[in-house]
Amino acid sequence: MKETLMDILCCPLDKEALELEVTQKEPNQTETEIIDGELVCTECGTEYPINDGIPNLLPPDMRE
Amino acid sequence: MSRREVRRTYDRIAEHFAQTRAHAWSDVERFIETETERSAGSLALDLGCGNGRHAELLVPHVDTVVCADLSRSILETARNRTGDRTIELIQTDAADLPLRSGSVDLAVYIAALHHLPTRTLRLRSLDELARVLTPSGRALVSVWSTTHPTFEATMGFDTTVDWTLPNGETVDRFYHIYDPEEFERDVRDSAGNVQELFTSNGNCYAVLGAAED
C-alpha cells in the first residue's frame, strides 16, 4: 500500500488514527510503497499487519 | 454462518471465482459514467471488490481506487487483474470500514451486501458506507433479489448457493436474497440518503448519498 493511504485509513473498531510502523518499503518513482509493516491504533492499540503490500484491517476476531 | 466462515468460503474459491467474474455490469458502468460527469473525485471505493472488475472502471476517474474485500485470496486475484498503480488493496470487513468519515467520493458495493449473515450487520454496513461518503459522494449498492427468475419466493430469505470447484468439490456460499420492499426498507433504515432505487436483471439497486448530518 502507498504511504499516502494513511490519510484516509483509520481503526475499523473505533475510527481513531493509525500509526504506521514500516519493516519493508519500496520507494518508487512517485511515492513510497509499504511492503511489510504494521498499523497500530493510537487509541485502542489494536495492531493490523501489512503483508506483501496488503493491510489486513479485519477486526482481530475475524482473522484466523 | 459467521463472517469468518464467509471469509473462509471465499478464500477457498477465490481463484476459480475470479476467472468466472470477468465482465463489469452495465448498470455499474452507467452509474459510474453518470456520477463522474457530475463531479470529479479523488477517491473511489470498490467494496466487496472480488477480482476488481468494477474497480477498473473507476480508475480513469479518480486519483486512487480502494479495493476492499473480506478475503485475502480474492484480493490477490484483484492484484493480478488490475495491477494498476492507482489501486490500493485492503482486507476489510464491510460492517467495520477502516476509512475516515467523509473521505470517499464514489463507491460501488456490488453483489456483496447479501453475503453478510444478519440484518444487523447489513444495516451496519450500509451505515458505514454512508459515513465514509463525502457530503456530495454517491454509492451504488446492489443485491441479488427474489425478482431473479431462479427464485420462486416473493419474500426475502436466507439460503446457501453451492459453488462447484474445478475438482468437483462444492462450497456453500451464504446469501440473503432480498425482496424489493425489504431492500427498500433496509436502505431507508440506514444512515444513507436514498437517491434512487431500481431493479435490473434480478438485482435490486440503490444509489445512496452521505449520512444526513
Side-chain angles (χ1 to χ4, degrees):
Chain A
M1 68 172 237
K2 284 194 209 43
E3 203 161 358
T4 48
L5 199 60
M6 292 305 293
D7 301 340
I8 59 151
L9 290 182
C10 68
C11 177
L13 299 176
D14 55 23
K15 314 307 175 190
E16 296 290 342
L18 296 168
E19 229 164 57
L20 169 63
E21 290 161 14
V22 181
T23 40
Q24 192 194 337
K25 61 182 176 182
E26 214 179 75
N28 63 27
Q29 322 82 339
T30 44
E31 51 187 298
T32 310
E33 183 80 18
I34 313 296
I35 305 301
D36 289 309
E38 215 169 43
L39 297 163
V40 184
C41 179
T42 52
E43 197 58 38
C44 67
T46 306
E47 294 166 6
Y48 303 95
I50 304 170
N51 296 319
D52 192 20
I54 300 178
N56 180 343
L57 286 151
L58 289 174
D61 66 332
M62 289 187 61
R63 291 186 195 166
E64 59 345 290
Chain B
M1 188 182 262
S2 73
R3 286 179 289 167
R4 233 198 330 257
E5 284 154 350
V6 173
R7 178 174 55 75
R8 282 199 210 108
T9 297
Y10 276 87
D11 282 346
R12 283 184 61 200
I13 69 170
E15 208 46 53
H16 186 227
F17 179 85
Q19 290 148 17
T20 57
R21 290 312 193 259
H23 307 299
W25 291 6
S26 53
D27 294 303
V28 181
E29 281 168 353
R30 221 180 352 271
F31 166 75
I32 292 171
E33 269 147 33
T34 333
E35 287 308 321
T36 46
E37 268 151 31
R38 196 171 59 81
S39 72
S42 65
L43 185 79
L45 168 66
D46 183 351
L47 183 54
C49 62
N51 63 4
R53 58 175 164 177
H54 291 127
E56 274 182 308
L57 301 179
L58 294 163
V59 165
H61 302 290
V62 288
D63 306 329
T64 305
V65 178
V66 172
C67 257
D69 204 286
L70 182 62
S71 157
R72 166 100 191 191
S73 319
I74 280 269
L75 282 169
E76 293 291 356
T77 69
R79 183 177 4 217
N80 309 340
R81 173 187 177 105
T82 49
D84 188 289
R85 299 310 304 165
T86 54
I87 283 186
E88 293 291 332
L89 303 172
I90 60 172
Q91 191 174 2
T92 317
D93 168 33
D96 300 299
L97 294 183
L99 300 172
R100 294 191 184 167
S101 302
S103 59
V104 174
D105 298 293
L106 188 58
V108 292
Y109 188 11
I110 302 305
L113 178 68
H114 53 218
H115 291 310
L116 274 67
T118 66
R119 181 172 191 256
T120 312
L121 286 172
R122 290 190 294 271
L123 279 179
R124 197 166 96 201
S125 185
L126 289 168
D127 290 349
E128 278 286 85
L129 187 57
R131 177 185 65 80
V132 301
L133 285 175
T134 58
S136 60
R138 290 286 180 276
L140 180 69
V141 184
S142 94
V143 290
W144 212 11
S145 91
T146 52
T147 61
H148 193 280
T150 189
F151 301 118
E152 275 110 37
T154 50
M155 295 288 289
F157 62 100
D158 287 351
T159 186
T160 53
V161 178
D162 275 357
W163 181 271
T164 310
L165 290 167
N167 62 13
E169 223 188 304
T170 57
V171 180
D172 270 356
R173 288 178 308 154
F174 171 85
Y175 276 82
H176 175 75
I177 307 298
Y178 273 93
D179 69 63
E181 293 73 32
E182 179 198 16
F183 180 65
E184 176 167 2
R185 210 171 34 249
D186 273 15
V187 290
R188 292 208 188 285
D189 283 354
S190 83
N193 187 341
V194 181
Q195 308 291 320
E196 225 184 298
L197 274 160
F198 61 96
T199 300
S200 163
N201 299 323
N203 294 292
C204 288
Y205 287 87
V207 177
L208 283 187
E212 281 128 348
D213 13 349

